Amino acid sequence: MTQELSHLLRTRREKLEALRERGIEPYAYRFDRTARSDEVVSAYSEAERKGDLNESGEGSEVRVVGRIMSWRSHGKSAFAHIEDEGGRIQLYFRLDVLGQEAFDDLNLLDLGDWIGVEGRVFRTRTEEITVRAGSWTLLSKSLRPLPIPKEEVDPDTGERTVYSGFADPRTRYRQRYADLAVHPEVRKIVRTRTRLVSALRRFLDARGFLEVETPVLQPIYGGAAARPFTTYHNALDTTLYLRIADELYLKRLIVGGFERVYEIGKDFRNEGIDRSHNPEFTMLEFYQAFADYHDMMELVEELVGSVVEETTGSRRFVHQERDIDVSPPFRKVAFLEALGKKLGTSPAEMDVEGLRQALRERTGEDLDDAGRGRLLDKLFGALVEPELIQPTFVVDYPVELSPLAKHKRGDSSLTERFELFIGGWELANAFSELNDPLDQRARFEAQAQLRDAGDEEAHPIDEDYLRAMEYGMPPTGGVGIGVDRLVTLVTDSPSIRDVILFPTLRPEEGREG
RNA sequence: GCGCCGCUAGCUCAACUGGCAGAGCAACUGACUCUUAAUCAGUAGGUUCCAGGUUCGAUUCCUGGGCGGCGCACCA
């Protein structure tokens, strides 16, 4: 702890003691609020319009609460702004109204303190709706200075200029409570996220999907190609994995007779962190019996379009200065065709060596041990994906890349699978689910060979899942949607970490001040 | 894991080719009863991320390390 911070903390503790000595409890138990700050403003405007103000131009008496965000002291009077979830409201304190003692005690308040105030509402000379404090109550003393920015609001344009700020991303992510406390725009993202998730639920509920919960702790992970987090159960004396996908359990439920199921929950993948990846992230998966991937494409178009509109009011939004329109129908391109256009040759006619060479030429990467599937995927990721800004379904992936998807009708080298890209990011992944248990076993065995060859992300064999398939799963369409990424896009956030309240960070070493 | 950039007061940032470490805000003291980036006068506040090295002298240059951001890789 530096001397300076310790000085600031000490000053506040001294004020805390002084408050107690004066008989003021710095940590109150409750406060009866009559109106939120935004309600105070609208009620006063309404009263003003109706002519319901008294002869002094005052509205009704209110009790408001908030955190002190600014303070302007003028000797025998003072102005402050407090902020609650409704926004900010100005307070006006006067010596002749409060009396000497209550006015002097204001000196023991600091920015960041929570207070409650009772008083009549009026409009100041500069037209701001303000509560004239008849009395005030300390609700919670802040002992650590919040990095509250100073800001100026242009009265004509309403434009907000922030003069100093709390900018260090590390500290903002680590101390999200402080980030939220001083940045209304971060709170807005949180609300947008919640509205979007609610809209997803409403969309699926309205179409007869049943929301379920499946295990996070799994004896065998699967449903995606990724490395898992590993943990251990003491009583069972066994290794368990945090799920990397919900897929295999949800399809077991389709076997069990549920025709439409979905789950919104956390998946965990033991991989790097960047602007589109967090080790734990929120996935929506839904499965519909008797449907194929064409049906699911239509459903996804509707879902994305309507959820974005319900959340933001429009199907168009801007992400990082790019205009994006999620109005259906979305563009469709075939995987091999799109890649072929970039390569100048059909990848179907290229052998592994040719693909490897193409990758080397285009990206400078040498992948000596990579198989055909991985090479195709790498090339696609490097050449095609970054250009998929407007919503685009990429369809018909090579079978090597898709161990859980049905063969494409008429071409067994492909699968009936699509991924949805928006803004260059993979937003959704879906297929006509493989329901042939013998084919599924063969796919798993092919994955096992990749695993033996050193591919840590190859899909493990899940015998229980195969048993479920053997009982019989109806034809089913399934979709996974990355919820965090969708929120990142519609909130115009640069990074997935901006839409996750507490993103994964390296643990803090030691304790700071 | 690799590359680039960064780390200076509580916050936001300065400090020329190496030459006494500064400003604004926040804090503290005082003045001020309609202010709003309040204003005015004053005070205090620093292991310049860490450890070495070069140098008469390092915030500055070099080496190593730590932390972070961005990009790459990874993420079917």
Side-chain angles (χ1 to χ4, degrees), chain A residues 19-193:
Chain A
L19 285 159
R20 287 214 159 102
E21 278 166 23
R22 307 191 63 147
I24 296 172
E25 169 54 47
Y27 297 100
Y29 284 84
R30 63 186 311 282
F31 186 82
D32 275 316
R33 166 167 71 177
T34 59
R36 247 169 37 170
S37 59
D38 53 332
E39 295 165 342
V40 170
V41 169
S42 55
Y44 183 86
S45 305
E46 178 80 7
E48 212 171 29
R49 201 167 58 245
K50 289 186 178 167
D52 284 349
L53 305 179
N54 69 15
E55 64 281 359
S56 320
E58 290 174 335
S60 54
E61 184 153 309
V62 297
R63 296 166 63 83
V64 292
V65 293
R67 170 183 269 138
I68 301 173
M69 301 302 279
S70 68
W71 193 271
R72 295 173 296 284
S73 164
H74 296 263
K76 297 187 178 63
S77 73
F79 288 91
H81 278 98
I82 56 170
E83 183 172 297
D84 64 11
E85 264 206 89
R88 290 193 186 188
I89 186 146
Q90 182 166 256
L91 307 178
Y92 182 39
F93 300 94
R94 288 175 63 106
L95 171 61
D96 56 6
V97 176
L98 286 169
Q100 193 70 51
E101 199 174 327
F103 190 81
D104 285 347
D105 289 341
L106 291 173
N107 288 323
L108 299 172
L109 297 182
D110 284 296
L111 297 187
D113 289 354
W114 289 88
I115 60 170
V117 163
E118 159 281 321
R120 288 201 177 274
V121 188
F122 73 111
R123 212 181 257 282
T124 63
R125 191 181 293 162
T126 52
E127 302 281 286
E128 179 159 352
I129 294 171
T130 299
V131 177
R132 179 185 281 108
S135 67
W136 60 271
T137 311
L138 180 57
L139 303 181
S140 180
K141 181 72 192 154
S142 164
L143 295 182
R144 183 179 291 269
L146 266 176
I148 298 173
K150 283 226 167 189
E151 53 186 53
E152 182 179 28
V153 181
D154 188 308
D156 298 324
T157 63
E159 207 169 298
R160 207 161 55 106
T161 314
V162 176
Y163 285 91
S164 61
F166 178 35
D168 179 26
R170 161 184 48 182
T171 315
R172 289 181 61 184
Y173 293 137
R174 246 187 233 297
Q175 299 189 29
R176 188 66 103 179
Y177 33 86
D179 188 29
L180 289 161
V182 304
H183 290 129
E185 64 275 19
V186 178
R187 297 199 293 271
K188 187 178 174 196
I189 287 172
V190 175
R191 292 204 181 86
T192 301
R193 180 184 177 118

Side-chain angles (χ1 to χ4, degrees), chain A residues 274-277 317 319-320 322-324 331 380-392 394 397 419-428 485 489:
Chain A
D274 64 29
R275 63 166 57 189
S276 66
H277 295 84
F317 59 88
H319 184 248
Q320 305 296 289
R322 294 193 291 215
D323 291 301
I324 292 174
R331 195 163 71 98
F380 192 86
L383 304 181
V384 184
E385 282 182 17
E387 295 178 9
L388 303 178
I389 304 306
Q390 296 307 318
T392 305
V394 175
Y397 280 68
E419 290 193 353
L420 172 62
F421 287 84
I422 304 179
W425 284 359
E426 179 193 337
L427 251 287
R485 287 187 183 173
L489 287 171

Side-chain angles (χ1 to χ4, degrees), chain A residues 365-394:
Chain A
E365 273 186 275
D366 271 310
L367 289 182
D368 290 340
D369 51 351
R372 181 179 182 79
R374 193 163 137 72
L375 287 166
L376 286 169
D377 190 55
K378 292 285 294 181
L379 281 164
F380 192 86
L383 304 181
V384 184
E385 282 182 17
E387 295 178 9
L388 303 178
I389 304 306
Q390 296 307 318
T392 305
F393 289 121
V394 175

Side-chain angles (χ1 to χ4, degrees), chain A residues 456-475:
Chain A
E456 286 185 81
E457 285 164 0
H459 204 292
I461 297 179
D462 187 334
E463 287 293 344
D464 178 72
Y465 177 71
L466 289 169
R467 178 165 59 195
M469 289 299 104
E470 285 165 6
Y471 281 119
M473 183 174 87

Side-chain angles (χ1 to χ4, degrees), chain A residues 163-233:
Chain A
Y163 285 91
S164 61
F166 178 35
D168 179 26
R170 161 184 48 182
T171 315
R172 289 181 61 184
Y173 293 137
R174 246 187 233 297
Q175 299 189 29
R176 188 66 103 179
Y177 33 86
D179 188 29
L180 289 161
V182 304
H183 290 129
E185 64 275 19
V186 178
R187 297 199 293 271
K188 187 178 174 196
I189 287 172
V190 175
R191 292 204 181 86
T192 301
R193 180 184 177 118
T194 300
R195 279 208 312 280
L196 187 140
V197 172
S198 302
L200 288 171
R201 287 206 162 90
R202 271 197 302 281
F203 182 94
L204 292 165
D205 292 344
R207 283 160 182 77
F209 284 83
L210 183 73
E211 182 171 10
V212 295
E213 293 184 81
T214 64
V216 169
L217 292 173
Q218 305 181 347
I220 299 176
Y221 60 93
R227 280 184 289 171
F229 287 91
T230 306
T231 187
Y232 182 77
H233 189 275

Side-chain angles (χ1 to χ4, degrees), chain A residues 287-303:
Chain A
Y287 293 82
Q288 178 175 335
F290 321 124
D292 67 6
Y293 78 142
H294 296 295
D295 299 312
M296 299 322 271
M297 263 184 268
E298 275 180 43
L299 193 57
V300 167
E301 271 174 354
E302 262 185 81
L303 178 145

